[in-house]
Amino acid sequence: MHSDDVIWDTLGNRQFCSYKITTKTQNFCRNEYNLTGLCNRSSCPLANSQYATVREEKGRCYLYMKTIERAAFPRRLWERVLLSKNYEKALEEIDENLIYWPRFIRHKCKQRFTKITQYLIRIRKLTLKRQRKLVPLRRKIERREKRREEKALIAAQLDNAIEKELLERLKQDTYGDIYNFPIHAFDKALQQQEAESESESDAEKEEEDEEDMDKREFVEAEDSDLSDFEDMDKLETSSEEEQEEEEEVEKKASRSKAKGKTPLKGPARRKRPYIEIEYEKETEPATKTKAA
């Protein structure tokens, strides 16, 4: 037969209990189903066959109830009821489920539920608020990572040097057709060379433009202008010669009149140069005519 007084005399009345914590002022209980957290006759979950408490699991509150009828079945000893998220509705649910229970248990369940809701609200506020996170410094891990970074940097520099050397040898055609370069590396090298050559040519053009801007040059006159002046000179000389020729013709005419000769009609005729023309005739030989 289950007797609460016998259990309390065995556990709580100066006897050993694994959940009891003794201090100088009072005793505390570590049982998870304890309603108040104190070790006394009315709050002990082991020495009370009719008992109720409120627990929080993953942000939700549950009402746990234990009765004497289920004492023979430890698997079904505690009945669990999910309470509403609304505070007022949850208090009403506690009153409905514990309507015929002692007033002390009903009041302590409401008080425990109030404390749980308060600390859940504080947890939500703290999670939404930005907080400073303290991260411990691990000296050994930092030193190890630093050494690894230095080694990786040295290896990367070595790889770049090897790649440059192989590309230079490829340009110089040192080994002929033995190379087995990946295509993307070769294309990358060609693009770098083109970019460098373009940058050099642009820099040279800019330097030339700057030099041209600084220098002064004297340009000769065009040939067309000189030719125009020369034509003008020729026209003047030709007109002077014609005038001299006309004067000579008039002088000759006046002399012929003085001698009694008739002057020549028309303009003065110039003597033409003497030309001798020769004609040659080709004759076929007589032998060929006879044979025909």
Side-chain angles (χ1 to χ4, degrees):
M1 185 177 178
H2 191 274
S3 178
D4 296 339
D5 295 330
V6 174
I7 293 171
W8 176 247
D9 290 336
T10 305
L11 297 177
N13 193 7
R14 297 180 182 179
Q15 296 294 327
F16 174 76
C17 179
S18 61
Y19 298 109
K20 187 191 293 185
I21 296 174
T22 58
T23 60
K24 292 181 180 180
T25 56
Q26 60 184 355
N27 298 331
F28 295 96
C29 181
R30 293 183 299 180
N31 195 321
E32 57 185 2
Y33 291 101
N34 195 300
L35 186 59
T36 59
L38 302 174
C39 184
N40 53 31
R41 176 71 178 80
S42 58
S43 299
C44 183
L46 302 176
N48 289 289
S49 58
Q50 190 178 12
Y51 197 78
T53 183
V54 178
R55 292 182 62 192
E56 180 264 327
E57 294 179 1
K58 297 180 180 179
R60 298 301 302 273
C61 294
Y62 295 91
L63 176 65
Y64 284 82
M65 295 175 289
K66 182 179 76 168
T67 57
I68 190 66
E69 290 81 14
R70 293 192 298 273
F73 305 98
R75 187 179 177 184
R76 293 180 292 171
L77 182 62
W78 292 92
E79 182 182 358
R80 188 174 74 169
V81 178
L82 178 64
L83 299 175
S84 176
K85 289 183 179 180
N86 191 357
Y87 179 73
E88 294 178 357
K89 288 183 180 180
L91 292 178
E92 291 177 359
E93 289 175 356
I94 290 170
D95 287 332
E96 289 176 1
N97 288 296
L98 304 178
I99 189 170
Y100 299 113
W101 289 56
R103 184 177 179 277
F104 172 78
I105 292 175
R106 192 165 59 248
H107 176 68
K108 289 296 178 182
C109 284
K110 290 180 181 179
Q111 190 176 9
R112 185 177 175 84
F113 174 72
T114 304
K115 292 288 182 181
I116 289 170
T117 51
Q118 287 175 356
Y119 85 70
L120 285 174
I121 291 166
R122 285 198 298 273
I123 287 169
R124 291 191 187 99
K125 286 182 179 179
L126 290 172
T127 52
L128 294 172
K129 186 179 179 181
R130 184 179 293 176
Q131 293 180 347
R132 187 177 295 174
K133 187 177 180 181
L134 299 175
V135 180
L137 295 175
R138 298 177 181 179
R139 303 285 182 180
K140 291 183 179 178
I141 295 172
E142 287 181 357
R143 277 192 243 109
R144 192 188 308 149
E145 294 294 332
K146 190 175 180 180
R147 285 197 299 270
R148 286 178 180 174
E149 288 176 0
E150 290 175 356
K151 290 179 181 177
L153 183 62
I154 292 166
Q157 291 176 355
L158 183 62
D159 292 339
N160 291 331
I162 291 168
E163 185 178 357
K164 287 180 181 178
E165 184 65 25
L166 289 172
L167 288 170
E168 287 179 359
R169 292 184 182 181
L170 178 64
K171 291 175 193 174
Q172 296 172 2
D173 199 6
T174 308
Y175 303 120
D177 299 332
I178 312 172
Y179 292 99
N180 191 12
F181 262 104
I183 297 170
H184 62 86
F186 187 69
D187 294 339
K188 184 180 178 182
L190 290 175
Q191 290 175 2
Q192 289 178 356
Q193 287 181 358
E194 290 177 357
E196 290 176 358
S197 62
E198 288 178 358
S199 62
E200 289 177 358
S201 62
D202 293 338
E204 289 177 357
K205 287 180 181 178
E206 289 178 358
E207 290 177 357
E208 290 177 356
D209 294 337
E210 290 176 357
E211 291 176 356
D212 294 337
M213 290 293 288
D214 296 336
K215 289 182 179 179
R216 290 184 180 181
E217 293 182 357
F218 297 96
V219 182
E220 295 180 357
E222 294 181 357
D223 296 336
S224 61
D225 299 335
L226 292 173
S227 62
D228 294 336
F229 288 113
E230 289 175 357
D231 293 336
M232 292 291 289
D233 294 336
K234 288 179 181 179
L235 288 169
E236 290 176 355
T237 53
S238 61
S239 61
E240 290 176 356
E241 288 177 355
E242 289 177 355
Q243 289 177 359
E244 289 177 355
E245 288 179 355
E246 289 178 356
E247 289 177 355
E248 288 179 356
V249 170
E250 288 177 356
K251 288 178 181 179
K252 288 180 180 180
S254 60
R255 287 175 185 174
S256 61
K257 283 180 181 179
K259 292 179 179 179
K261 293 182 180 179
T262 56
L264 295 172
K265 292 181 181 180
R269 294 181 181 178
R270 294 181 182 178
K271 293 182 179 181
R272 293 182 181 179
Y274 179 75
I275 298 170
E276 185 178 354
I277 300 170
E278 294 182 357
Y279 296 95
E280 292 183 359
K281 293 182 180 180
E282 293 180 358
T283 55
E284 293 180 359
T287 56
K288 288 183 180 181
T289 54
K290 289 178 180 181

